[in-house]
Amino acid sequence: MTKIITQQTGRHRRVRSTIALGLALSVAGVTACAQSPAASERVSAADDGPAFPFLDAGDGVMIRVGDDWSLPADAGVAANSGFFSEEASPADQVYTRSVDVSWGQIQSEPGALDRDSSGTAQDMSFAPLDEQLEGQGSFWMRVFASGEKWAPQWVVDDCEVSTYGPDYDGQRHLPIWNECVWGHLMDTYQSLFIDSGLAADERLAFVYVPGAFTWAEFDYEMITAAVDAGDLDLETYLSWYDHAWTDLADMFGDNANKLVFTGEDYPWGPFGADDDLLAKQAVDAGLGIRTGITELSNFHLSEAPAYGSHILPNGHMTLDDTLPVHDGSRIVATENECFNACGYETDEPYYAVRQSNLKALQLHTNWIYVVPEPSYFAEYPKLWDWVRLSMGHTAQNSPDAWAALRDAEDMYWAGDEAGPFTGEWQTRPWVRNLERWLVQVDEPGSVAHRSNADVHSEVFEPDNGTAHEGLVTDAANGDTGFVFELDARFAAASAEAHPVVKVTYLDDGAGAFTVDVGDWSSPDIERTGDGQWKTATVALPDDAFSEGDTSFRVSLGDGADDLTVRFVRVVKA
């Protein structure tokens, strides 16, 4: 039994109030429950709210045109997770706003904090601290510290330091690694967060640290400028770096999990391999971690030690989610708002938003910085709702596990950098798949091959390389399916959860395929050859993974043409 409904990818109408959002969800739920859609029927965008109804399969197969991001109605938001932005937007499920101050604003003179003066940084104006802290809503914080126009003049005078720059926004910066400057900044952090009780305030979600360089993000542009000027060497830099993050963690004590280091893995620094793993050192000191470049979803973050992500010899990535940074108490963040903004531009916004969010989830982020309009919340509500309900979960409590099948270049590793690979990465710089508790496994008769059906090159910029979305069988040479291995923890948790498998495939060619678990096979999933991407939902037997066998196969039927598959999910239905 196969039923087909058609899904619109985007929706060009924004729900602007909580009341309207609730009404949209109510209408969508009634519509879905009342119908058994035929192939010609369409679920209209106007009736389809952000949390669109979960597509189940009954006793057979259900097919939806396009991607299927649906989750069961009882899927919930994980603890310590969410969207954050400059402003809260409850209608967009963005509840955590920013509280920003400059160092000079709150301590223009030595001594007590100034809580009543306004400030500026990065062409933003900041209200007085106490005014910003009014109200009960959740907030995150930045102290814009290092900029020549952010820092107090008395710090410059007392420490007798020069500034470096300009950065790409035309700002010069104090040397944050100078022990005198750092000491004064730590005194300010002590007054602001500890003495005032702000670190323990339950409204404070997290703090970006150390508050240095452009947008208070710890890149290596100014550090390189100091080295080039002959004012900084590795020994001096590491002498500061080796205690900086434990200084903060010790100060915050039981609230150290609210600290978020804003540096990157493998920075483009002036010290060669000596600064490669310094982001991991900050995480090892007890801090959380944040990246700002998952919009470039193929670039740089495949090998990311601070997140526990590592490229295997076969090109797959593995992520160690048993590391302390993923214990649920810390912040693992990214920022996905620059698609046709921040100097980026693409004519493939849905693709760009989808891939950046898949990358964010592959890194097991639990917080994502968004700006609803440039993040395309109104256009892609189903995708964003799936992200919101996915991030922060563990293998045991996640509503789904998935694998995005693809081959993509990580151009950061395309040069001569040895990295940690020492020649073992056989497909370098090609990375196989994005995977979250579900791994596609090549084995005899089920070797997956690169597909040319959906190719994207240099989205945003050349660094983002070429990506072949989807993998394909090769029946002529004996490869007639795809094998998947489910994380044992997820499998155990889903043993009594009525699991379903969702397979997103290209409906070209002829012939059927099935989903097979042990001796059980699904009904045939017939192709029509209309050339559209579709998602087939198949209900598995309730005991599919109850005997410890966590594998399943997507198999071609006899005589079927080759099959291209792009995305596979196992959902606890």
Side-chain angles (χ1 to χ4, degrees):
M1 176 177 64
T2 301
K3 298 180 181 178
I4 302 176
I5 64 176
T6 302
Q7 172 194 353
Q8 289 188 343
T9 301
R11 181 168 65 103
H12 300 284
R13 177 181 65 85
R14 187 169 183 175
V15 179
R16 295 188 179 275
S17 71
T18 304
I19 294 174
L21 176 61
L23 178 60
L25 294 180
S26 175
V27 170
V30 170
T31 301
C33 292
Q35 68 180 352
S36 295
S40 60
E41 292 179 317
R42 176 179 295 270
V43 176
S44 73
D47 292 335
D48 198 6
F52 68 124
F54 178 64
L55 187 64
D56 209 337
D59 295 325
V61 174
M62 183 74 83
I63 295 175
R64 165 175 265 141
V65 174
D67 293 327
D68 179 355
W69 305 110
S70 64
L71 288 171
D74 61 355
V77 176
N80 189 26
S81 72
F83 298 137
F84 64 105
S85 193
E86 305 301 322
E87 303 289 342
S89 180
D92 296 299
Q93 312 288 339
V94 182
Y95 298 107
T96 303
R97 63 182 173 90
S98 70
V99 170
D100 293 323
V101 294
S102 70
W103 191 5
Q105 171 188 351
I106 59 173
Q107 203 160 42
S108 59
E109 300 292 340
L113 295 181
D114 181 348
R115 309 179 70 93
D116 300 313
S117 294
S118 57
T120 60
Q122 297 290 161
D123 296 324
M124 299 187 297
S125 297
F126 306 143
L129 175 61
D130 279 347
E131 182 179 328
Q132 293 190 64
L133 291 175
E134 293 175 354
Q136 297 303 309
S138 172
F139 59 85
W140 63 290
M141 289 192 67
R142 288 171 294 199
V143 179
F144 287 81
S146 68
E148 184 177 38
K149 297 179 180 179
W150 312 343
Q153 183 60 43
W154 65 266
V155 172
V156 178
D157 295 340
D158 183 59
C159 298
E160 299 180 337
V161 291
S162 301
T163 59
Y164 298 95
D167 64 16
Y168 60 81
D169 274 350
Q171 176 77 35
R172 296 183 66 85
H173 292 268
L174 275 65
I176 201 80
W177 57 87
N178 177 276
E179 295 290 0
C180 176
V181 174
W182 184 251
H184 285 312
L185 182 58
M186 289 301 95
D187 289 343
T188 301
Y189 269 71
Q190 175 74 33
S191 297
L192 176 61
F193 291 104
I194 309 306
D195 297 344
S196 69
L198 191 54
D201 191 323
E202 63 181 13
R203 298 174 301 158
L204 176 63
F206 50 86
V207 183
Y208 272 12
V209 294
F213 312 139
T214 319
W215 286 102
E217 298 169 356
F218 195 74
D219 58 42
Y220 272 69
E221 186 181 16
M222 294 303 98
I223 298 165
T224 300
V227 171
D228 291 345
D231 296 339
L232 179 65
D233 57 30
L234 176 64
E235 182 180 0
T236 302
Y237 180 69
L238 291 184
S239 176
W240 164 77
Y241 196 98
D242 286 345
H243 68 76
W245 317 120
T246 53
D247 289 348
L248 282 162
D250 291 346
M251 179 191 299
F252 272 63
D254 292 342
N255 296 297
N257 59 306
K258 295 184 178 183
L259 295 165
V260 182
F261 177 66
T262 57
E264 303 282 1
D265 270 306
Y266 293 98
W268 293 266
F271 303 121
D274 289 319
D275 55 32
D276 278 355
L277 300 180
L278 294 185
K280 184 178 184 300
Q281 184 174 332
V283 169
D284 289 345
L287 278 62
I289 187 70
R290 155 266 176 214
T291 181
I293 60 170
T294 44
E295 292 95 340
L296 296 185
S297 53
N298 303 321
F299 181 66
H300 179 238
L301 288 170
S302 302
E303 181 72 20
Y307 301 79
S309 182
H310 178 59
I311 305 172
L312 298 172
N314 63 5
H316 288 251
M317 290 175 289
T318 183
L319 185 138
D320 184 358
D321 60 11
T322 68
L323 292 174
V325 74
H326 295 299
D327 68 6
S329 70
R330 297 200 213 173
I331 307 300
V332 183
T334 191
E335 304 181 3
N336 279 346
E337 86 286 13
C338 294
F339 299 105
N340 275 297
C342 319
Y344 283 161
E345 184 177 354
T346 180
D347 58 1
E348 302 180 89
Y350 175 71
Y351 173 75
V353 173
R354 183 188 73 194
Q355 295 308 123
S356 67
N357 280 322
L358 290 175
K359 181 60 189 178
L361 292 175
Q362 182 269 325
L363 290 172
H364 288 215
T365 58
N366 53 1
W367 287 85
I368 299 180
Y369 178 90
V370 297
V371 182
E373 185 172 349
S375 294
Y376 287 85
F377 268 43
E379 290 81 1
Y380 314 129
K382 308 174 189 72
L383 170 58
W384 279 110
D385 206 59
W386 174 72
V387 172
R388 181 178 65 90
L389 296 172
S390 295
M391 59 185 177
H393 283 294
T394 66
Q396 291 85 348
N397 63 30
S398 176
D400 65 359
W402 52 263
L405 307 190
R406 63 204 303 266
D407 263 333
E409 293 176 295
D410 188 334
M411 297 301 293
Y412 184 81
W413 299 110
D416 296 329
E417 300 89 350
F421 311 113
T422 62
E424 295 178 358
W425 178 5
Q426 299 156 7
T427 61
R428 177 176 174 174
W430 292 91
V431 177
R432 169 63 63 89
N433 300 348
L434 293 166
E435 296 167 329
R436 183 171 162 99
W437 303 309
L438 184 67
V439 177
Q440 174 264 319
V441 180
D442 283 340
E443 58 183 47
S446 302
V447 176
H449 301 266
R450 181 183 297 169
S451 171
N452 293 315
D454 186 18
V455 182
H456 303 260
S457 292
E458 301 185 356
V459 175
F460 296 128
E461 60 182 51
D463 278 344
N464 214 22
T466 296
H468 296 252
E469 302 298 343
L471 299 175
V472 65
T473 60
D474 184 7
N477 290 298
D479 292 317
T480 59
F482 308 91
V483 170
F484 297 89
E485 187 72 30
L486 193 60
D487 184 285
R489 299 163 299 172
F490 182 94
S494 64
E496 299 180 1
H498 310 293
V500 303
V501 171
K502 292 178 177 286
V503 181
T504 301
Y505 65 98
L506 183 62
D507 191 350
D508 66 346
F513 64 94
T514 58
V515 176
D516 305 331
V517 182
D519 296 330
W520 179 90
S521 292
S522 73
D524 284 349
I525 303 166
E526 298 284 355
R527 285 179 282 176
T528 67
D530 64 9
Q532 297 190 78
W533 287 99
K534 297 177 181 177
T535 301
T537 298
V538 178
L540 300 183
D542 289 345
D543 61 352
F545 305 118
S546 62
E547 300 300 323
D549 184 359
T550 62
S551 65
F552 63 93
R553 189 174 192 262
V554 175
S555 305
L556 283 178
D558 292 341
D561 293 335
D562 281 319
L563 174 69
T564 299
V565 172
R566 190 173 70 194
F567 196 55
V568 176
R569 281 203 294 155
V570 179
V571 186
K572 300 172 185 174

